[in-house]
Amino acid sequence: MSNPNVILLIADDLGYGDLSCYGGVGAPTPNIDALCEQGVRFADGYSTSAVCTPARYSVLTGEYPFRNPDTHILPGDAPCIIGKEQGTLPKIFQKAGYRTAAIGKWHLGLGSGDLDWNRPISHTPNDVGFDYSYIFPATNDRVPCVYVKDRLVENLDENDPIEVSYARECPYDDIPTSERNPELLRMRHSNGHNNSIVNDVGRIGFMRGGEKAVWRDEDLAERFLAEAEGFIKADPDKPFFLYYALHQPHVPRVPNERFAGKSGLGPRGDVIMEMDDCVGQLTAFLEKEGLLDNTILIFTSDNGPVLDDGYMDDAERRNTMMQHRPAGPLRGGKYSKFEGGARIPLILSWKSHTRPAVSHALVSQVDFAASFASMLGVDLGDWAPDSRNILDALLGESIQGRDEIFAEAVNKSHFLRRGKWTYMEPSAGPAHDYVTNTELGNSLDHQLYNMDYDIGQRTNVAELHPHLVEEMSARIAEIRASSRTR
Ligand code: NG6
Ligand code: CA
């Protein structure tokens, strides 16, 4: 059989406990669950960060985020933080003769610092290994709210140029903002999101012009799905790698009309149903095209869940009422150093190869690069320094994953997991973020938890195991001091 196609689906802020197949009692996710019927579901899968940009940086470069000082939550006009000469996951596929595409959320920066949204953009996904890209620049709550196709914003109008600013004060007098025009909002913000109003929703950042280019939030899912299918169909003679970055369930949660009100959990549940439907449609499409048997589908999320991430969309109340816990049994969520921050759902299905299984192998998204390089026989050289070849574990053929998990919270403090132990290094900062209602895990004490007995990280046993604390904190220091070599 020829090399399999690979589709990497990454949801945005979907928690460890959100999918029915991970025990979620919230929105039903039958199409994603179906991947488990012929695939491997990982109980101990991790991203490298509790927030988006650093986590995705690792997926695409095989490198821990701390190695690049620009890996923090980027504004919508930030330059691209992946170097043009850097080794990347899509370049590995290109070397093996694949065609590649990035579709959906990007959030790794665009341009080289001189960004003019009305002209071809100098540094896009197309410069880091993707033959084709159809993305939005940052997040769905950050301007500019436009699609970028390859190097150009789609539907540009020279008579209505796009201007974007992340200044503190609005530099444009003639645009509505949430502060000036709250009457225009259909969704109120609880924190931030009080700059430009786009599609009746307050955003982060100011944007003027580009009326024809602005997206309708309700259409994002279908737009990206159509692009994904178009890319897959474009050239049946070559295998493909598709990085499909779903924007759900990140805020603002604005489902397509087909899903509004469907989940009973408010917009967050509705967009999770919408996301699941995208996976269902994609799978059906692959089947119809005769491609499903030889396509590896990976479904995962960039970081843990959050209910109130800055908009009053009733998620907190409705999920509590339904007893749905987006992080499942884990403590903390998005932003956190507790497991809820970076332990994420991860499923791999390859219809003709994998069999249903639940795996407890330690696997990290940073390992996709070395694992696929191994599958394709691509020599990595000094690319992807932190990536390990755990292909057998990913395919469910071995319980041996990586030796350790190394990941960071939003404040860049780290935790290390080895076997059943998770160690969290001391860090300053609030223990609880009352804005998002998240336990952040900050403490000036060492924290050590036994994942076998205490998956919810309730009992800190650091004092009982001083030798482990010493060893694991030394290991964190060692990784941080290490150079970019494989
Ligand atoms: C935060 C935003 C949050 C979200 C996050 C990035 C506020 C108050 N909060 O700063 O809404 O956009 O950044 O999320 O503005 S991520 O999934 O892309 O990391
Ligand atoms: Ca995210």
Side-chain angles (χ1 to χ4, degrees):
M1 202 181 260
S2 57
N3 276 337
N5 307 304
V6 178
I7 304 181
L8 176 54
L9 294 127
I10 303 201
D12 196 358
D13 299 358
L14 189 78
Y16 185 75
D18 268 321
L19 300 172
S20 324
C21 55
Y22 275 82
V25 297
T29 51
N31 294 298
I32 299 166
D33 301 345
L35 299 177
C36 301
E37 283 162 23
Q38 60 213 18
V40 191
R41 179 171 79 76
F42 292 91
D44 299 79
Y46 291 82
S47 64
T48 63
S49 169
V51 287
C52 167
T53 301
R56 288 164 198 262
Y57 180 81
S58 290
V59 169
L60 291 181
T61 64
E63 189 176 293
Y64 291 138
F66 79 88
R67 299 194 188 282
N68 182 336
D70 294 326
T71 51
H72 46 79
I73 298 173
L74 295 176
D77 61 352
C80 186
I81 64 168
I82 301 177
K84 290 187 181 180
E85 52 322 295
Q86 220 172 324
T88 65
L89 180 62
K91 285 185 189 171
I92 291 168
F93 283 100
Q94 282 180 333
K95 276 193 172 191
Y98 280 58
R99 53 199 189 91
T100 59
I103 289 169
K105 171 182 182 165
W106 181 237
H107 211 190
L108 289 155
L110 290 171
S112 321
D114 49 354
L115 193 55
D116 176 347
W117 295 98
N118 306 287
R119 305 180 64 79
I121 301 171
S122 61
H123 195 152
T124 76
N126 298 46
D127 297 291
V128 301
F130 292 107
D131 303 327
Y132 178 67
S133 61
Y134 190 89
I135 54 159
F136 65 57
T139 55
N140 47 330
D141 57 354
R142 282 173 177 74
V143 302
C145 301
V146 296
Y147 300 106
V148 180
K149 182 175 176 166
D150 292 328
R151 297 188 184 284
L152 266 190
V153 170
E154 199 173 50
N155 295 327
L156 277 176
D157 176 357
E158 61 181 45
N159 298 316
D160 185 23
I162 298 173
E163 293 168 85
V164 170
S165 166
Y166 275 78
R168 251 177 186 286
E169 299 295 327
C170 180
Y172 320 121
D173 297 333
D174 53 347
I175 60 162
T177 69
S178 316
E179 265 168 343
R180 294 201 278 252
N181 308 86
E183 74 284 357
L184 296 179
L185 296 173
R186 59 167 144 169
M187 193 191 284
R188 306 300 290 265
H189 48 270
S190 54
N191 185 32
H193 304 105
N194 57 354
N195 301 159
S196 267
I197 299 178
V198 179
N199 200 18
D200 306 337
V201 177
R203 314 278 167 162
I204 307 172
F206 300 101
M207 169 179 186
R208 177 162 71 176
E211 201 178 321
K212 289 191 184 134
V214 164
W215 73 54
R216 208 177 73 99
D217 298 71
E218 291 87 338
D219 297 337
L220 285 168
E222 285 175 12
R223 194 67 228 116
F224 289 141
L225 178 65
E227 283 296 324
E229 294 183 355
F231 165 72
I232 292 169
K233 255 190 126 136
D235 180 359
D237 295 331
K238 256 185 169 184
F240 64 82
F241 168 63
L242 168 60
Y243 173 79
Y244 183 3
L246 301 148
H247 71 290
Q248 303 102 333
H250 196 282
V251 295
R253 299 159 185 144
V254 184
N256 185 269
E257 287 79 359
R258 288 194 298 134
F259 296 95
K262 281 276 153 60
S263 69
L265 284 152
R268 186 172 189 276
D270 298 346
V271 300
I272 289 176
M273 288 180 72
E274 178 188 70
M275 173 189 74
D276 182 72
D277 180 71
C278 290
V279 176
Q281 288 196 52
L282 180 71
T283 313
F285 173 79
L286 291 168
E287 180 107 71
K288 189 178 86 200
E289 297 295 316
L291 295 168
L292 190 60
D293 272 357
N294 203 28
T295 298
I296 296 180
L297 282 158
I298 300 175
F299 182 90
T300 188
S301 173
D302 61 346
N303 53 255
V306 57
L307 289 173
D308 184 341
D309 208 13
Y311 294 94
M312 295 183 213
D313 65 5
D314 218 15
E316 187 100 47
R317 187 184 68 85
R318 296 225 196 198
N319 283 282
T320 307
M321 186 177 76
M322 302 282 273
Q323 298 185 1
H324 173 58
R325 300 174 54 182
L330 307 179
R331 189 169 179 180
K334 181 176 181 178
Y335 307 112
S336 176
K337 194 161 48 183
F338 285 122
E339 294 269 317
R343 202 200 286 201
I344 34 71
L346 177 60
I347 302 164
L348 185 147
S349 162
W350 180 7
K351 196 174 176 195
S352 56
H353 276 65
T354 49
R355 296 285 162 264
V358 176
S359 171
H360 288 273
L362 291 184
V363 297
S364 170
Q365 295 172 350
V366 76
D367 298 326
F368 293 146
S371 302
F372 283 115
S374 149
M375 182 180 88
L376 301 169
V378 170
D379 178 18
L380 278 177
D382 57 0
W383 286 9
D386 300 306
S387 193
R388 299 287 167 264
N389 173 14
I390 53 160
L391 183 65
D392 291 346
L394 287 172
L395 296 178
E397 285 160 12
S398 164
I399 54 164
Q400 191 57 50
R402 56 164 37 227
D403 298 336
E404 63 191 10
I405 295 293
F406 178 71
E408 62 184 43
V410 64
N411 66 357
K412 299 260 165 203
S413 65
H414 284 101
F415 76 83
L416 184 76
R417 167 127 189 236
R418 271 186 176 174
K420 63 186 174 197
W421 300 107
T422 290
Y423 165 77
M424 291 160 51
E425 67 176 344
S427 56
H432 198 105
D433 174 32
Y434 287 94
V435 175
T436 58
N437 192 17
T438 304
E439 291 190 282
L440 294 173
N442 292 318
S443 164
L444 296 178
D445 294 332
H446 298 278
Q447 295 179 69
L448 183 72
Y449 298 96
N450 182 325
M451 288 296 122
D452 278 356
Y453 303 141
D454 184 21
I455 192 174
Q457 296 181 296
R458 292 288 150 197
T459 308
N460 179 7
V461 293
E463 282 185 10
L464 299 178
H465 302 282
H467 57 289
L468 269 177
V469 167
E470 200 176 306
E471 210 178 287
M472 293 177 86
S473 78
R475 177 61 186 148
I476 289 182
E478 185 184 34
I479 297 173
R480 269 203 300 251
S482 65
S483 55
R484 261 183 172 136
T485 44
R486 285 191 52 75

